[in-house]
Amino acid sequence: PPPPPLSFFKQKPAYATMPSLVGSEMCIRDRLHSEDNVAVALREIASGTVLPESNVVTRDIIPAGYKVALQDLGQGEPILKYSVAVGFAKTDLPAGTMLHSHNIEFREFDRDYRHGEDYQPLELLPPAERATFQGYLRSDGRAGTRNFIAIVSTVNCSATVVHAIADHFTKERLANYPNVDGVAAFSHHTGCGMEMTGEPMSLLHRTLAGYIQHPNVAASLVVGLGCERGQVGGLFAAQRLVPGETLRTVIMQENGGTRQTIAEGIAIVEELLTNANQCQRQTLPASHIMVGLQCGGSDGFSSITANPALGKAVDILSRHGGTGILSETPEIYGVEHTLTARAATVEIGKKLIERIRWWKDEYAVGRDVQINGMVSPGNQKGGLANILEKSLGSSMKGGTGPLMAVYHYGERVTTNGFVFMDSPGFDPVSATGQIAGGANMVAFTTGRGSCFGAKPSPSIKLATNTPMFQRMEEDMDINCGAILDGETDMDEMGQRIFEYFLYVASGGQTKSLSLIHISEPTRLGMISYAVFCLK
């Protein structure tokens, strides 16, 4: 079905005030906040250009997405964007200077966490006014946006088998099961050669269980080798999984090896398909929608188009009772105080800071990772000077509502509204944790052009700027660059994204799902990386 029109809903929710952007006839986005001392170039600006409003004359070429000083800056003076410090002047910098990593210093600075001081309860819409979608209601009360059969390996040794089983079920073989979206294999690189107890194994168990019991999964087949440290029995006991009509197991060493296990697995899936095909979409409230919030290949426009627009959509979704999950802990570093101040309780704020401190004070010590300053070459080329500026945009995906909970990686999310899940900044790993937690969709913003997609949760790609959207339109779903072009404003774009949530949740196709190369692309998001990174 085509995406719904913008007029699909008459009710427009209330928003916290966020700045509007100028039209495409302007070359500069002046102060994003009244206290800012920088502006952002909407397109490349030649040296010697008189900037509108400020009457500052540029001293350098200012590439699109880069910053320019609107006043003289003394050495050590904070660079303010959205009234948040994104670095400090390395030397005295006159007005009109192009600002980037070469003249912006990254350093630590004190932040007032103000736990819960700005908390305001979320105003939910009356039930009769809440939006609905067409989804699959599961026996545990959750709802799916898709209807998959999952083939899950407990250990890297059974990875070949689960993929061989899934590969058997081609589009032609699934033609008789129109209500099934596919048979998807989920493997990983661990399950043995690791601690048998403690957080690494617990993390592996809860992540696997999150996929086995995912609301987008109608039935699962779990495949183990037999001698691994991560036993099928241990997984089921730890996560209270019970084999039954929709949850089956097979052990390779007990079943005669690779070939016979593949044959047995195919036979089991054929049985599971019959039951899964009986599932029907039904009208469900939008409170069942849970969106994992991701960004990758960010640029200088991320914080002024796609990320705050996605935040607007999360604010709307929250008022309808749904959930948005922000993650990538190293990518909120430097602006975490903007989240803790909105925490529903002091304890929630402190839990977020505890995770930040683990990444900064334990994991990242002495390592050349982005939480210690430098972002990726693509981020830098897109106009982001350091992790502080990247985090400013990244945090905006969560919207402006209260922070209702903080979860460990892969924990089941049970709180509605805006929540946070601890994860690495590596997108596939982070999204794996969100999906394991129950995210039945993923919304992914990008400025440089990330091509991420994942099963079993469909991924919506949001472009920050029109040139990239046009260049990579086969991978992008929504062009938030229309805000820069003056074609729409932030409120309307947020509403458009929210309505697209409903469209995709009801079975609408995303660009990533339509591409052949999009599968479960990183084998449970390279969960082995997460197992050895996270505590």
Side-chain angles (χ1 to χ4, degrees):
L6 290 179
S7 59
F8 191 73
F9 292 103
K10 296 178 182 178
Q11 179 82 22
K12 291 276 187 178
Y15 296 95
T17 301
M18 296 185 74
S20 299
L21 295 184
V22 297
S24 57
E25 73 278 2
M26 305 297 287
C27 64
I28 196 78
R29 175 60 179 105
D30 207 3
R31 290 175 175 86
L32 295 161
H33 187 279
S34 60
E35 296 179 7
D36 287 1
N37 50 26
V38 302
V40 178
L42 299 184
R43 57 177 180 265
E44 185 175 293
I45 304 172
S47 178
T49 300
V50 179
L51 301 180
E53 297 188 26
S54 64
N55 290 321
V56 168
V57 179
T58 58
R59 301 169 62 89
D60 313 284
I61 295 173
I62 316 295
Y66 283 57
K67 297 166 293 301
V68 58
L70 293 179
Q71 63 192 54
D72 294 339
L73 300 170
Q75 182 178 4
E77 190 171 343
I79 309 298
L80 297 177
K81 183 177 178 182
Y82 281 107
S83 191
V84 174
V86 295
F88 302 86
K90 283 186 179 179
T91 61
D92 291 342
L93 301 171
T97 301
M98 188 269 279
L99 302 174
H100 200 46
S101 53
H102 66 292
N103 56 15
I104 296 179
E105 179 184 7
F106 168 82
R107 69 167 186 250
E108 308 297 338
F109 62 98
D110 291 334
R111 296 178 286 283
D112 183 2
Y113 294 132
R114 301 174 58 249
H115 296 294
E117 291 184 16
D118 294 340
Y119 167 72
Q120 293 184 353
L122 183 67
E123 249 184 76
L124 288 169
L125 290 170
E129 297 179 22
R130 296 181 195 176
T132 61
F133 72 104
Q134 298 298 307
Y136 297 96
L137 186 63
R138 304 303 186 190
S139 59
D140 63 0
R142 296 187 294 172
T145 64
R146 292 297 184 271
N147 197 40
F148 277 96
I149 302 290
I151 318 297
V152 179
S153 66
T154 59
V155 63
N156 64 307
C157 305
S158 56
T160 298
V161 168
V162 300
H163 285 282
I165 295 170
D167 290 345
H168 173 81
F169 292 95
T170 61
K171 181 183 289 189
E172 292 73 23
R173 286 185 169 127
L174 290 175
N176 292 328
Y177 306 97
N179 294 330
V180 177
D181 289 291
V183 177
F186 299 104
S187 62
H188 53 97
H189 301 292
T190 186
C192 204
M194 59 183 293
E195 301 169 70
M196 290 189 68
T197 58
E199 178 58 9
M201 187 61 77
S202 295
L203 186 153
L204 176 61
H205 280 165
R206 65 178 179 262
T207 305
L208 294 177
Y211 274 72
I212 292 166
Q213 298 178 303
H214 196 274
N216 287 1
V217 170
S220 295
L221 170 63
V222 181
V223 182
L225 175 63
C227 60
E228 66 268 27
R229 295 174 76 84
Q231 291 279 302
V232 171
L235 166 65
F236 277 49
Q239 295 296 314
R240 299 180 180 178
L241 301 175
V242 180
E245 191 176 74
T246 60
L247 177 53
R248 305 284 292 276
T249 66
V250 62
I251 308 299
M252 293 173 64
Q253 291 173 351
E254 297 174 4
N255 206 62
T258 300
R259 185 188 61 78
Q260 293 187 61
T261 303
I262 293 171
E264 176 68 12
I266 290 171
I268 291 172
V269 172
E270 287 174 342
E271 295 175 17
L272 297 176
L273 280 168
T274 300
N275 287 334
N277 195 53
Q278 294 174 4
C279 298
Q280 300 283 334
R281 289 187 181 272
Q282 58 184 285
T283 301
L284 298 170
S287 56
H288 282 293
I289 296 176
M290 185 177 292
V291 184
L293 311 173
Q294 288 291 321
C295 58
S298 300
D299 68 355
F301 296 127
S302 294
S303 66
I304 55 179
T305 61
N307 288 3
L310 177 55
K312 288 277 190 180
V314 171
D315 286 344
I316 301 171
L317 178 64
S318 296
R319 294 196 67 214
H320 286 265
T323 305
I325 310 171
L326 184 66
S327 296
E328 300 179 291
T329 313
E331 295 186 7
I332 63 164
Y333 177 71
V335 299
E336 67 273 16
H337 58 293
T338 66
L339 303 181
T340 56
R342 291 152 46 195
T345 66
V346 171
E347 291 72 25
I348 291 171
K350 287 183 176 180
K351 188 173 181 180
L352 180 62
I353 298 308
E354 183 272 327
R355 299 317 303 153
I356 286 277
R357 286 176 175 161
W358 180 83
W359 281 99
K360 184 66 178 175
D361 299 339
E362 294 187 47
Y363 173 74
V365 174
R367 298 185 179 189
D368 183 18
V369 291
Q370 74 174 357
I371 198 173
N372 288 334
M374 187 174 292
V375 293
S376 73
N379 294 153
Q380 292 186 61
K381 191 173 181 180
L384 298 178
N386 54 43
I387 187 57
L388 302 178
E389 187 174 13
K390 184 175 183 179
S391 293
L392 174 63
S394 179
S395 65
M396 291 179 175
K397 301 192 302 293
T400 59
L403 175 63
M404 299 305 298
V406 174
Y407 292 91
H408 286 281
Y409 185 93
E411 282 187 321
R412 179 177 289 195
V413 175
T414 57
T415 305
N416 297 97
F418 165 49
V419 303
F420 188 87
M421 176 179 285
D422 184 31
S423 83
F426 186 35
D427 312 321
V429 177
S430 181
T432 293
Q434 292 173 331
I435 293 170
N440 48 24
M441 291 197 301
V442 174
F444 195 114
T445 67
T446 181
R448 304 296 292 169
S450 175
C451 298
F452 175 87
K455 291 179 181 177
S457 298
S459 301
I460 299 169
K461 304 303 290 298
L462 309 171
T464 72
N465 63 90
T466 298
M468 186 276 287
F469 177 83
Q470 293 174 339
R471 189 170 61 251
M472 301 186 65
E473 194 166 353
E474 289 184 353
D475 291 87
M476 300 295 125
D477 293 289
I478 296 177
N479 178 26
C480 296
I483 299 171
L484 290 179
D485 301 337
E487 297 175 1
T488 187
D489 61 20
M490 195 73 74
D491 286 351
E492 188 177 85
M493 184 59 72
Q495 183 72 15
R496 181 183 302 181
I497 295 168
F498 171 69
E499 292 175 8
Y500 204 77
F501 286 168
L502 301 178
Y503 159 72
V504 173
S506 299
Q509 188 87 323
T510 66
K511 294 291 183 66
S512 65
L513 286 175
S514 67
L515 293 172
I516 294 173
H517 72 269
I518 295 298
S519 180
E520 41 301 351
T522 49
R523 308 292 184 254
L524 276 182
M526 289 173 60
I527 189 176
S528 55
Y529 175 89
V531 167
F532 293 113
C533 275
L534 293 173
K535 279 188 172 181

